[in-house]
Amino acid sequence: MNDEREPKDRVILALDVSTAEAAWRLVEVTQGLVGMYKVGSQLFTATGPDLVRALLRRGERVFLDLKFHDIPTTVARAGVEAARLGVSMFTIHALGGGPMMRAVVEAVAEFCAREAVARPRILAVTVLTSLGAEDLARMGVRAEPERIAVTLAHLAHACGVGGVVASAWEIARIREGIPDRGFAIVVPGIRPQGTSAHDQRRSATPQEALRAGADYLVIGRPVVESDRPREVLENIVRHLSP
Ligand code: C5P
């Protein structure tokens, strides 16, 4: 990376609300401060692809965060539908494994070449930033979240995936093993200094994440649940300027 021109282009606002009206209110109030809007499972389940299409028609860039995890054929087909919608990025779970990741990468590349449409960046989710070592241990996984995240990032890269979603604390180790700067690292769990971490176990401030080498920052609740969402975002973007 980086194909982005301004600090705000690295900021992704998670539209984690339950109605199209609430989503549009957030889009209106954050105009000019956000590079991309993230539509996740809550909003997508409530409103369907129509809202995504409407955002795209307005000229917004959309990150479709539905974290596909299924058999290779199903995920490949879902990926093609995401590409057909015209989103800039979408997510899959790296835990779906190599065959699943390779299938979606190939199907999307083939579809986009055939239809002459822009190819979305496929991002792999490694370990959810809400999970700590003890949670993984309870799931029978006895390794540090950071180690698993790095292993899964390597696998995703080897499968041709365009980047990963990872916590700020994993970036250095991911970059160490994958020097390819075209491989994007998208960091959720961003918390401005002094705000609540909510259920995020591995959060970072915007500055920490950028210093660590994040390409994109995903921010949700600190903006969405604020009485002054624009101010919170302005503050973040100001701190991102060199
Ligand atoms: O509200 P908050 O800032 O914690 O929102 C983070 C957003 O990033 C949520 O929409 C969540 O689904 C998403 N996300 C995450 N951890 C991942 C992948 C995505 O928190 N590993």
Side-chain angles (χ1 to χ4, degrees):
M1 283 215 71
N2 205 319
D3 51 348
E4 310 301 338
R5 277 144 300 178
E6 293 178 54
K8 72 150 181 70
D9 291 330
R10 294 165 174 266
V11 177
I12 300 175
L13 179 63
L15 296 174
D16 290 337
V17 289
S18 61
T19 64
E21 294 68 36
W24 284 118
R25 270 198 300 276
L26 274 170
V27 171
E28 292 299 336
V29 83
T30 58
Q31 270 307 289
L33 290 174
V34 170
M36 222 179 282
Y37 289 100
K38 183 169 91 68
V39 176
S41 44
Q42 180 189 7
L43 186 60
F44 192 84
T45 304
T47 65
D50 283 351
L51 181 85
V52 174
R53 292 194 189 98
L55 283 165
L56 293 167
R57 268 199 306 276
R58 242 181 84 132
E60 303 297 349
R61 299 179 77 202
V62 174
F63 170 17
L64 187 65
D65 185 22
L66 298 179
K67 300 185 179 68
F68 299 134
H69 187 175
D70 208 315
I71 57 170
T73 305
T74 304
V75 171
R77 289 176 180 173
V80 165
E81 295 313 321
R84 198 193 309 276
L85 272 177
V87 301
S88 297
M89 315 205 283
F90 72 88
T91 43
I92 59 174
H93 262 289
L95 281 168
M100 188 202 85
M101 289 195 275
R102 270 189 294 273
V104 63
V105 167
E106 279 166 24
V108 168
E110 195 264 328
F111 170 81
C112 294
R114 182 159 35 90
E115 302 289 321
V117 294
R119 202 154 129 186
R121 185 184 289 277
I122 304 177
L123 296 169
V125 173
T126 57
V127 181
L128 294 172
T129 39
S130 55
L131 292 175
E134 13 8 314
D135 303 305
L136 291 175
R138 262 179 236 123
M139 294 158 70
V141 182
R142 291 187 198 283
E144 285 303 310
E146 193 192 76
R147 255 190 76 191
I148 308 172
V150 171
T151 305
L152 291 173
H154 279 241
L155 178 62
H157 184 249
C159 293
V161 167
V164 279
V165 181
S167 97
W169 311 110
E170 289 140 17
I171 298 176
R173 290 208 27 218
I174 292 171
R175 291 267 185 241
E176 220 173 81
I178 308 172
D180 173 8
R181 284 295 295 175
F183 191 69
I185 302 188
V186 177
V187 178
I190 296 297
R191 292 295 178 269
Q193 204 88 49
T195 56
S196 160
H198 302 102
D199 58 353
Q200 297 286 14
R201 304 290 295 275
R202 289 171 288 136
S203 58
T205 66
Q207 297 91 318
E208 282 169 338
L210 269 200
R211 233 179 285 129
D215 293 298
Y216 295 97
L217 311 178
V218 178
I219 182 148
R221 284 163 293 181
V223 173
V224 174
E225 293 179 1
S226 164
D227 298 334
R228 300 191 185 89
R230 192 166 177 90
E231 265 174 49
V232 177
L233 263 178
E234 274 169 351
N235 200 20
I236 291 170
V237 174
R238 199 172 318 121
H239 281 102
L240 298 182
S241 305

